[in-house]
């Protein structure tokens, strides 16, 4: 299993590396130990993106410079093969304490 762990201090261009990952873990100045606890299933993470992840470099170049991905008039956000759109507010919980698939949104 390949887990892409990205420290999201700024929006990253992930469109070339995300397709090769089985999972994406977005962290915000998190310790390596805490990230490993999530990957190993010791902690049920949850969270929402405070900004959108750009689809590609062209989206970055068209973006207003004040707030990444906020209220853009075009499809700024990256969309993965499952159709998840990495826009402002996207996130999920693994649901380790609940049966069923991860909750998205």
């Amino acid at each position: 299993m390949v887990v892409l762990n990205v420290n999201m201090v700024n929006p990253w261009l992930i469109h070339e590396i995300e397709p090769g990952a089985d999972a994406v873990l977005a962290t915000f100045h998190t310790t390596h130990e805490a990230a490993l606890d999530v990957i190993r299933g010791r902690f049920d993470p949850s969270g929402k993106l405070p900004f959108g992840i750009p689809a590609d470099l062209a989206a970055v170049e068209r973006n207003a410079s004040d707030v990444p991905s906020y209220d853009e008039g075009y499809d700024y956000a990256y969309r993965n093969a499952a159709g998840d759109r990495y826009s402002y507010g996207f996130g999920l919980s693994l649901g380790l304490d609940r049966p069923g698939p991860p909750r998205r949104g």
Side-chain angles (χ1 to χ4, degrees):
M1 173 179 253
V2 175
V3 177
L4 173 61
N5 183 21
V6 182
N7 186 16
M8 291 286 184
V9 294
N10 291 306
W12 284 75
L13 292 172
I14 63 170
H15 66 285
E16 292 182 358
I17 56 175
E18 185 276 336
D22 297 302
V24 177
L25 179 60
T27 58
F28 299 85
H29 293 301
T30 305
T31 66
H32 298 291
E33 293 81 9
L36 285 172
D37 281 347
V38 169
I39 293 167
R40 292 178 178 151
R42 295 180 183 160
F43 180 76
D44 181 13
S46 63
K48 305 288 182 180
L49 286 172
F51 45 73
I53 305 304
D56 51 29
L57 186 56
V60 173
E61 291 170 347
R62 289 190 313 261
N63 184 60
S65 62
D66 55 354
V67 181
S69 77
Y70 179 76
D71 198 26
E72 300 297 340
Y74 57 90
D75 197 12
Y76 170 87
Y78 174 73
R79 188 180 306 265
N80 66 15
D84 298 317
R85 193 167 171 258
Y86 288 48
S87 59
Y88 170 82
F90 173 73
L92 61 80
S93 169
L94 290 180
L96 298 176
D97 59 344
R98 296 171 300 281
R103 297 176 315 178
R104 299 177 189 269

